[in-house]
């Protein structure tokens, strides 16, 4: 965490058909079920800043969606802040 209680989440995604439209980012302290942001897919590598608290465990995932409504999930990952 930086002085403003922000941390960076970063991921890379590719789409064989080249019609990727959006990423939905889920983050919370339970099971990554809370949607915190929807991002237009303008690049394959994305980095965003999110607010967090110190000494907590977070769970997050990214769901990519293409122009045909097909989705792919990253699966759930966890990390602990200090």
């Amino acid at each position: 965490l930086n002085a403003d209680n922000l941390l960076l989440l970063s991921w890379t995604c590719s789409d064989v058909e080249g019609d990727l439209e959006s990423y939905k980012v889920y983050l919370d302290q339970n099971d990554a079920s809370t949607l915190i942001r929807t991002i237009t897919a303008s690049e394959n590598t994305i980095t965003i800043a999110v607010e967090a608290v110190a000494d907590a465990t977070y769970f997050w995932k990214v769901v990519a969606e293409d122009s045909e409504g097909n989705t792919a999930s990253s699966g759930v990952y966890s990390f602990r802040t200090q």
Side-chain angles (χ1 to χ4, degrees):
L1 290 177
N2 68 13
D4 296 324
N5 290 328
L6 296 175
L7 59 85
L8 298 178
L9 298 177
S10 182
W11 66 92
T12 300
C13 183
S14 62
D15 181 51
V16 175
E17 297 164 342
D19 62 346
L20 193 59
E21 286 197 342
S22 67
Y23 302 108
K24 292 185 178 180
V25 183
Y26 296 81
L27 173 75
D28 57 43
Q29 294 183 41
N30 297 312
D31 58 6
S33 63
T34 303
L35 177 65
I36 62 163
R37 195 170 304 168
T38 299
I39 301 166
T40 300
S42 58
E43 300 179 24
N44 287 343
T45 300
I46 304 292
T47 301
I48 61 170
V50 296
E51 192 171 335
V53 297
D55 197 29
T57 300
Y58 285 91
F59 299 88
W60 74 296
K61 69 180 177 182
V62 176
V63 177
E65 184 170 350
D66 69 15
S67 62
E68 296 181 15
N70 299 310
T71 61
S73 176
S74 65
V76 176
Y77 293 89
S78 66
F79 61 89
R80 184 158 184 84
T81 56
Q82 296 185 0

